[in-house]
Amino acid sequence: MKKQIILLILVLLTFSCAKREVPIVSFYYWKTIFKLSEIEIATLKNNDVQKIYVRYFDIDLDSKNQAFPLSPIRFETEINGYTIVPVIYVKNKVMLNNEVDVQELAKKTFDFLQQINNKNKIKVEEIQIDCDWTLASRDSYLKFIESFKSISGKTLSATIRLHQIKYYTKTKIPNVRKGVLMYYNMGTIAVDSLNSIYDRNIANRYIQSLQNYPLEIDIALPIYSWAIHSRDGRVIGLRSKINVGDFKKDSNFVFQHNKYFKVIHSNYKKGTFYKSKDILKLELISQKDLFEMASDLKSNLKQTPKEIIFYDLDEINIRNYEKDIFKQVTTRF
């Protein structure tokens, strides 16, 4: 009996000392010029970041309904040892266009990506395709993925939305090594009081489906904010990366109810015209929101994700959080 007790104690000690696997911190970089600021460099260093998911270009349709690369990335900062994962954002309307030859598009997309890599002496092993495909575009998108995988010979990952998780038997699963669940942009851009970036009630309608999703999943979490600009009760624009402090100091605006700015005097601010009585609704992601997301996801994922990818690396976003917030979030998975 004594030997059994000793053995049990040893087993318990072994388990308690075992290091729990914690996801690594990664970031999306979503600007057209890759140029890291001192704050962004410090954030990468403080969080032991090894991998950056860099938006290379979008694929859109021109006036003749031909697919073309939009706003390609330009590198002005050296990579300095980071692993770069190019991200290609394919607009769904491209996949909906029956005139687009997706096999030819896959080849042109990879060729253009390689041009960027060769020019900047970047070697990549993984490429990510970002597309919010639908049932109508599903077959074209899946064919594009197959063609791109064959042509590139690279490891592929793909972004996945909540509705694609829940209804995967209909939307299907792209032939990639892993998916990245975009855990944001859940609601509708509207003048109501809800947050379109993150809404826990909406997330809860889908999140339990993660337990049945057969593809390996990493998680992308939001750290961005924006303001919904409305006039006479109608949305007229989305104002990204605004400095809340600048608006609070501006006598043309008055801050109301913790999330609204009301325009007192018509004015131009950074190229945007604000008319008297216009409303700006702030949509932010708090530290509490991030912890809540991590807790909910942990309860529903089949296994701990290898990476938590924060969207996106920008000093405007970083200034809104404590220095160690990103590691705090990953330890909650």
Side-chain angles (χ1 to χ4, degrees):
M1 183 67 178
K2 185 176 181 181
K3 290 183 178 180
Q4 290 175 328
I5 293 173
I6 293 173
L7 181 61
L8 178 61
I9 291 172
L10 288 173
V11 170
L12 291 173
L13 284 172
T14 300
F15 274 104
S16 64
C17 293
K19 187 176 180 180
R20 185 174 69 85
E21 186 176 349
V22 175
I24 64 172
V25 175
S26 298
F27 285 94
Y28 280 105
Y29 190 92
W30 218 257
K31 305 175 191 176
T32 55
I33 298 175
F34 188 86
K35 185 177 182 180
L36 298 175
S37 70
E38 290 184 6
I39 291 176
E40 291 160 1
I41 292 171
T43 299
L44 295 173
K45 182 178 179 180
N46 293 337
N47 290 280
D48 304 314
V49 174
Q50 304 166 17
K51 189 185 294 186
I52 308 174
Y53 292 77
V54 179
R55 173 210 161 275
Y56 264 41
F57 52 88
D58 300 348
I59 299 178
D60 201 352
L61 294 176
D62 62 18
S63 59
K64 296 181 180 179
N65 258 1
Q66 299 293 310
F68 77 106
L70 178 67
S71 304
I73 188 77
R74 187 170 84 246
F75 285 87
E76 292 189 2
T77 298
E78 292 185 6
I79 301 307
N80 293 329
Y82 293 109
T83 297
I84 298 298
V85 178
V87 183
I88 311 301
Y89 173 58
V90 184
K91 294 193 176 184
N92 190 48
K93 64 181 180 180
V94 176
M95 294 290 106
L96 286 169
N97 189 339
N98 295 327
E99 296 178 9
V100 173
D101 183 331
V102 293
Q103 290 180 311
E104 181 183 2
L105 178 61
K107 184 180 186 308
K108 288 182 176 179
T109 300
F110 182 65
D111 287 347
F112 189 55
L113 183 148
Q114 285 293 80
Q115 288 178 33
I116 295 173
N117 285 338
N118 292 337
K119 180 180 179 180
N120 296 282
K121 299 179 181 179
I122 299 172
K123 293 183 179 181
V124 303
E125 298 299 326
E126 177 187 348
I127 299 169
Q128 186 170 110
I129 307 299
D130 179 17
C131 180
D132 188 6
W133 79 95
T134 58
L135 289 177
S137 63
R138 177 193 64 192
D139 293 344
S140 292
Y141 173 68
L142 295 179
K143 186 177 180 181
F144 174 82
I145 289 289
E146 292 288 356
S147 297
F148 193 89
K149 184 175 183 179
S150 175
I151 292 166
S152 69
K154 303 293 184 180
T155 298
L156 291 192
S157 58
T159 57
I160 311 290
R161 273 69 175 178
L162 281 169
H163 69 93
Q164 293 157 350
I165 295 281
K166 185 171 182 177
Y167 303 110
Y168 77 88
T169 56
K170 293 182 179 179
T171 59
K172 303 301 181 185
I173 300 172
N175 184 15
V176 295
R177 187 186 66 79
K178 73 170 184 180
V180 177
L181 174 60
M182 317 300 276
Y183 207 64
Y184 47 84
N185 288 358
M186 298 179 183
T188 303
I189 304 296
V191 297
D192 58 29
S193 61
L194 300 178
N195 190 331
S196 67
I197 298 175
Y198 169 63
D199 187 318
R200 192 182 194 186
N201 291 326
I202 292 176
N204 285 340
R205 301 174 196 167
Y206 299 89
I207 195 171
Q208 291 183 355
S209 302
L210 281 167
Q211 299 171 17
N212 303 318
Y213 196 67
L215 186 65
E216 179 184 334
I217 288 289
D218 283 332
I219 305 297
L221 294 181
I223 56 169
Y224 64 94
S225 59
W226 56 32
I228 297 173
H229 184 183
S230 62
R231 180 174 299 156
D232 299 324
R234 183 176 60 87
V235 174
I236 62 171
L238 197 61
R239 311 304 171 205
S240 299
K241 296 182 179 179
I242 68 169
N243 187 318
V244 175
D246 285 348
F247 279 81
K248 286 184 175 180
K249 294 175 185 177
D250 192 329
S251 60
N252 291 310
F253 301 84
V254 62
F255 193 48
Q256 300 176 326
H257 309 300
N258 295 322
K259 66 160 74 170
Y260 297 97
F261 281 105
K262 184 176 181 179
V263 181
I264 303 301
H265 307 289
S266 296
N267 69 98
Y268 277 94
K269 192 173 184 67
K270 295 186 176 179
T272 298
F273 175 68
Y274 296 98
K275 186 179 179 181
S276 176
K277 298 183 181 179
D278 282 1
I279 300 293
L280 284 171
K281 183 182 79 169
L282 296 177
E283 294 192 337
L284 314 164
I285 299 298
S286 67
Q287 175 175 294
K288 177 179 175 293
D289 291 330
L290 290 171
F291 290 165
E292 184 177 270
M293 293 177 194
S295 177
D296 290 347
L297 285 162
K298 180 182 179 181
S299 299
N300 288 278
L301 287 164
K302 291 188 295 185
Q303 58 188 29
T304 303
K306 292 183 175 64
E307 292 181 63
I308 305 301
I309 313 170
F310 293 93
Y311 181 89
D312 62 320
L313 183 68
D314 188 302
E315 64 177 79
I316 294 176
N317 299 331
I318 293 167
R319 290 180 188 276
N320 291 326
Y321 299 98
E322 297 176 5
K323 185 177 179 180
D324 61 348
I325 180 64
F326 307 111
K327 285 188 175 180
Q328 284 188 53
V329 172
T330 58
T331 57
R332 290 172 181 257
F333 278 86

